[in-house]
Amino acid sequence: MNKYERLKTDLEVAGTGKLKAFGNSMLPILKNGSLLTFVKAPDYNIGDIVFCKVKGRYIDAHKVVKKDTNKGFLIANNHGFENGWTKTIYGKVTVAEYQGRTIYKIE
C-alpha cells in the first residue's frame, strides 16, 4: 500500500490522516517536506487545499480554484497550473507543520 492509498484509507475509516508532501508547487503556503493533517469534510470550497484524484492521478496538496455543479472541482497548484476537474476529493488540509512549527492552520 503506497502513501496515497494509506491516507485514503485513513480518511475513509477515521476521517483524518497525515502525509508528508514534497515539492514546491504550493510555495509559499506549504514548504517541501511539510507534514500535512487532512480531514474528511462534507463539502469543499474554493481555497481549500485538498487530497484528491484528477485524471486517475493522486494529487496530495493542491487548491480548489473553481466549483461547478456538473464538473465538480477545478484543482490547481499555487502558481496557476491547473491539474483539471475532479469530483473525487478525499480530504482537506487543516494543519501543515514544517521543522516542528505550524506554518498553516484552518479552524
Side-chain angles (χ1 to χ4, degrees):
M1 180 181 294
N2 67 34
K3 67 180 186 176
Y4 303 116
E5 293 292 334
R6 183 179 47 78
L7 178 58
K8 181 179 162 190
T9 299
D10 289 347
L11 288 164
E12 288 170 352
V13 173
T16 188
K18 292 187 179 228
L19 176 96
K20 200 169 235 192
F22 296 95
N24 297 313
S25 65
M26 286 299 292
L27 281 172
I29 300 169
L30 304 177
K31 297 176 189 268
N32 183 33
S34 294
L35 178 62
L36 308 177
T37 301
F38 291 86
V39 296
K40 189 173 184 175
D43 193 24
Y44 300 96
N45 297 300
I46 293 170
D48 286 346
I49 299 172
V50 298
F51 168 51
C52 62
K53 206 169 208 182
V54 177
K55 299 175 188 168
R57 190 167 166 254
Y58 287 112
I59 306 292
D60 57 8
H62 280 182
K63 294 190 303 185
V64 173
V65 294
K66 289 183 185 173
K67 282 176 75 170
D68 182 272
T69 307
N70 296 315
K71 294 180 185 178
F73 305 91
L74 182 60
I75 307 300
N77 69 18
N78 203 39
H79 304 281
F81 175 80
E82 295 178 353
N83 299 89
W85 289 92
T86 187
K87 292 183 180 178
T88 309
I89 294 181
Y90 304 109
K92 68 179 179 179
V93 175
T94 56
V95 177
E97 300 166 89
Y98 181 74
Q99 296 181 342
R101 292 182 26 241
T102 300
I103 60 169
Y104 174 85
K105 187 174 185 176
I106 62 168
E107 301 303 320

